[in-house]
Amino acid sequence: MGLFDIFSKEKREERARAGNIQRAVNKYSQTGDRYRAMEALATEGSDEALYGLLRRFGMMYDKSIEDEQEKEWVFDTLVSKGETALPAVKRYLAAAESVSWPLRVLQKIVSNKDAELDIVAEVLARHEPGYERDPTKKIQLIRHIGLMKHPKGPALVAPYLEDMDEGVRFATIEALLALKNEEVAREKLLALFVSDAEESLRLRIRIAEGFADLGWLVHGFRGGVEKKLPDGFSLDREGKILKPKKSD
């Protein structure tokens, strides 16, 4: 086979792959055509093909049941590839606007939790606390770290208590409470709770509920906490937040 033949073969493969990717992410394609395109990409198995397969997660099909089924198929297929799919998954995590599905794939194909956290942390570092037009990805990454229960997680998410988006701050509160690291989280959560700049009652209620459930005390912040306590909550002598009493 000559050099020209090799280049020609590569070009044909590139065109075929590009066509399959286009069909796989086209919501106007027939379901059967999309499946055939996705199967072809999975069979090829190159990084480019698997990245194209991952792009199916970013397309929303009008028929929700079929959309979910196709995404589950992509998820199962990528998981079956194991760490072979990791380069494509990492690339997609960096590029995509929504990452809930690829984060699930990552969790399945990376057995080492330290390595998984390193990958997630690297992506999150590109979305620093502050303004972002669409904070969806930031929220998904923070939630994932909260679910991982890794000891390094609290320090990674804590800075996002200062994010401009209320949804990001709420996700961070949820993650810190789930991770239960009092040393890292207690004072930072209380500082947000007593801040005059924080206008969200939802956030204060969630922090109060979390402190009540975890038994964390408000030492050093009692006066400010008393002023900001949501209706029904109270403080005992020890400095523990008490939830509203349930009515009969």
Side-chain angles (χ1 to χ4, degrees):
M1 181 182 291
L3 192 60
F4 177 79
D5 294 324
I6 293 173
F7 284 142
S8 181
K9 181 174 182 293
E10 289 177 351
K11 287 295 183 183
R12 287 196 302 273
E13 290 173 349
E14 287 177 9
R15 286 195 295 271
R17 183 191 307 122
N20 284 323
I21 292 172
Q22 187 176 17
R23 282 186 288 274
V25 299
N26 184 356
K27 70 177 183 178
Y28 299 110
S29 295
Q30 296 294 319
T31 299
D33 292 337
R34 274 199 303 275
Y35 269 114
R36 281 187 288 274
M38 293 189 297
E39 287 169 353
L41 293 170
T43 299
E44 180 188 330
S46 68
D47 289 347
E48 285 296 327
L50 295 182
Y51 181 78
L53 192 58
L54 279 153
R55 286 180 55 193
R56 177 60 185 85
F57 290 140
M59 187 271 280
M60 184 73 70
Y61 185 40
D62 295 336
K63 297 179 180 179
S64 59
I65 295 176
E66 286 90 338
D67 184 63
E68 189 74 12
Q69 289 173 339
E70 289 180 29
K71 287 174 178 173
E72 287 287 355
W73 185 92
V74 173
F75 170 81
D76 291 338
T77 300
L78 289 167
V79 170
S80 73
K81 299 287 184 180
E83 293 202 1
T84 303
L86 188 55
V89 171
K90 290 171 67 175
R91 179 183 165 195
Y92 188 77
L93 282 170
E97 295 182 359
S98 178
V99 292
S100 58
W101 280 97
L103 284 171
R104 287 178 56 195
V105 176
L106 180 70
Q107 185 180 34
K108 289 288 187 180
I109 66 175
V110 179
S111 57
N112 185 315
K113 290 300 176 183
D114 290 337
E116 179 186 351
L117 187 71
D118 287 344
I119 293 168
V120 177
E122 182 180 345
V123 179
L124 183 61
R126 299 172 187 172
H127 301 270
E128 296 179 345
Y131 173 76
E132 199 160 336
R133 183 185 60 80
D134 183 0
T136 299
K137 183 174 182 178
K138 196 185 296 185
I139 291 170
Q140 291 170 341
L141 292 164
I142 290 169
R143 286 176 175 168
H144 187 79
I145 292 173
L147 293 171
M148 284 186 67
K149 304 295 175 68
H150 194 287
K152 293 182 180 179
L156 285 173
V157 302
Y160 292 85
L161 289 174
E162 300 179 9
D163 197 88
M164 294 182 68
D165 184 80
E166 193 257 9
V168 173
R169 297 196 302 278
F170 188 84
T172 304
I173 291 167
E174 293 269 71
L176 288 171
L177 294 173
L179 292 167
K180 301 179 182 179
N181 187 319
E182 184 174 1
E183 183 179 356
V184 172
R186 189 187 76 89
E187 291 192 6
K188 291 180 175 63
L189 289 170
L190 287 172
L192 179 64
F193 188 94
V194 303
S195 172
D196 290 334
E198 182 52 71
E199 299 178 350
S200 174
L201 177 60
R202 179 173 79 129
L203 266 60
R204 286 198 173 90
I205 290 174
R206 187 65 192 97
I207 293 172
E209 289 174 341
F211 270 63
D213 291 338
L214 295 170
W216 291 356
L217 306 180
V218 302
H219 290 165
F221 294 84
R222 186 178 186 108
V225 169
E226 286 177 334
K227 293 177 182 178
K228 301 288 187 179
L229 271 179
D231 290 344
F233 288 88
S234 59
L235 279 176
D236 67 11
R237 292 182 180 179
E238 190 181 8
K240 182 178 179 180
I241 296 178
L242 305 176
K243 288 182 176 181
K245 294 181 180 179
K246 294 182 179 180
S247 57
D248 295 333

